[in-house]
Amino acid sequence: MISKIPLRLLRTIKPLNMTKVFAPFCTQLEKVNKTGQKLVKIVEKELKYEKTNYVEDDSAIQYIEKAGFQLIDSENDHEVTLEKKVGDVKVIVQFQSRQPNSDEAEEEPQEQQKNNKQNQEEEEEEQQEAPNDYADFTVYLQKSNGQILCYECTTSQGEVNVNLVSLIKDLEAHKKIPRFERGLQDYSGPDFITLDERLQLALVDYLKGFGINDDLGAFIEHYSIDKEQRLYIQWLNSLTTFLKN
C-alpha cells in the first residue's frame, strides 16, 4: 500500500520553480564543438611545448650499461625495473615514474610577489638546504635457492637511505603490495633506524656490494622524472587523437 503525504505537510510543500532548459540539439552540439576546438588548441600547444623541451639523456643509458644492469621499461607502464646477476644472486631494482617536486612550481609566484630582497635571499638559502628531489625504490636480492632479501629504500639528492630490510617468500606477490602496506599483515622486520648501528652499517655495506649506491640513487631520481615526462607526452598524444577523431 502506497502511503499518502499527510495534508498538514502537503500544504507546506511549494511547487518547484524550474527554468526550462530544453535547448535545441543543434545548439548543444555547436557548444560541444566550440569547446572541443578550444581544448584541442590548448592540448596541441601543451604537447608541442613538452616535445620541444624534452631532451633524451644518453648519460642515463650509459650509466646502466656501465653498472651492468638490464633496463626494463615498458611504454604504457609506470613501473621501471633494473636487473643483473652478481654471482648466484639476481639483483632486482624497482621504482616508479615520479612528478617533479610541486613546491618548486608553488614557490615561484610567491617569490614574484615579494619586494624585500633580504627575504628573497633567505628563502633561496632555505631552498638550497631543503631536499628538492627524492624517490622510493625497492631492491630484491634473490638467491638461486629461492631465498629473497628485500630492501625498501629512499634516495634524496643522490644519497640512498635504507628504511626496511625483510625476508620474503613470494616475489611476485610482494611486488603487487603497495609500499605503505608492506609488513602490515606479516612481521617483516623492525624499522631500520631502530637496529644496532653496527648492524645497520653491515646491512648497508652488503647492499652496496651489489652496486646499490649513491650513483644508482641519483640515476633513479633522474630517470623517474624522465619516465613521468614521457608518459605525460604519451597521454597528451592520446588525448589529441581522441579529440580529433
Side-chain angles (χ1 to χ4, degrees):
M1 179 178 180
I2 301 177
S3 60
K4 295 183 179 180
I5 302 176
L7 184 61
R8 59 185 177 84
L9 294 179
L10 188 60
R11 291 171 181 172
T12 64
I13 299 177
K14 297 181 179 180
L16 293 176
N17 185 17
M18 299 180 64
T19 303
K20 293 183 178 181
V21 290
F22 302 106
F25 175 76
C26 59
T27 304
Q28 185 178 4
L29 184 59
E30 288 174 358
K31 185 177 180 180
V32 170
N33 290 335
K34 185 176 180 180
T35 56
Q37 291 171 1
K38 180 181 178 181
L39 178 57
V40 167
K41 290 180 180 179
I42 294 174
V43 174
E44 287 182 330
K45 184 177 180 180
E46 176 71 4
L47 179 59
K48 182 180 178 181
Y49 174 84
E50 289 295 330
K51 285 185 174 181
T52 302
N53 287 274
Y54 175 74
V55 179
E56 188 174 357
D57 191 355
D58 295 334
S59 63
I61 303 301
Q62 293 173 4
Y63 166 78
I64 288 298
E65 294 175 350
K66 183 180 178 180
F69 282 105
Q70 176 190 359
L71 175 65
I72 303 172
D73 183 1
S74 176
E75 283 188 12
N76 300 318
D77 196 345
H78 64 102
E79 293 278 355
V80 180
T81 303
L82 303 174
E83 292 184 358
K84 72 175 180 179
K85 285 291 292 290
V86 178
D88 69 336
V89 177
K90 183 178 182 180
V91 183
I92 304 171
V93 180
Q94 279 199 324
F95 60 95
Q96 297 180 349
S97 60
R98 175 179 62 93
Q99 293 185 356
N101 195 332
S102 60
D103 292 341
E104 296 175 1
E106 294 175 356
E107 287 167 0
E108 184 177 354
Q110 294 176 0
E111 290 178 357
Q112 293 176 353
Q113 296 174 3
K114 292 182 179 180
N115 298 320
N116 192 307
K117 185 176 181 180
Q118 182 178 356
N119 289 341
Q120 289 180 350
E121 292 176 352
E122 291 177 355
E123 185 174 355
E124 289 175 0
E125 290 177 359
E126 292 176 357
Q127 290 176 3
Q128 292 176 356
E129 294 175 358
N132 295 322
D133 248 346
Y134 72 93
D136 297 321
F137 67 99
T138 303
V139 181
Y140 297 102
L141 304 178
Q142 184 178 27
K143 287 190 173 183
S144 57
N145 60 10
Q147 297 183 84
I148 305 170
L149 186 63
C150 174
Y151 283 75
E152 299 289 355
C153 305
T154 301
T155 173
S156 177
Q157 296 183 330
E159 181 179 349
V160 173
N161 292 291
V162 177
N163 303 319
L164 181 68
V165 178
S166 59
L167 290 162
I168 63 172
K169 297 179 181 179
D170 190 330
L171 177 62
E172 295 305 320
H174 191 268
K175 288 180 180 179
K176 296 177 182 179
I177 303 174
R179 287 176 58 90
F180 59 88
E181 293 183 7
R182 291 174 182 173
L184 295 180
Q185 296 180 356
D186 300 323
Y187 180 74
S188 57
D191 289 338
F192 191 76
I193 194 67
T194 64
L195 295 175
D196 180 85
E197 186 175 349
R198 292 172 298 178
L199 180 54
Q200 291 185 41
L201 292 174
L203 284 168
V204 170
D205 288 342
Y206 181 70
L207 183 64
K208 287 182 178 179
F210 293 96
I212 313 301
N213 49 34
D214 291 346
D215 289 339
L216 177 66
F219 165 81
I220 291 174
E221 291 176 40
H222 170 83
Y223 199 86
S224 61
I225 293 178
D226 179 85
K227 173 69 172 177
E228 193 281 334
Q229 188 174 4
R230 285 185 281 117
L231 288 174
Y232 180 51
I233 291 174
Q234 183 178 334
W235 177 79
L236 289 172
N237 268 319
S238 300
L239 184 56
T240 303
T241 301
F242 171 83
L243 294 170
K244 285 188 170 183
N245 297 317

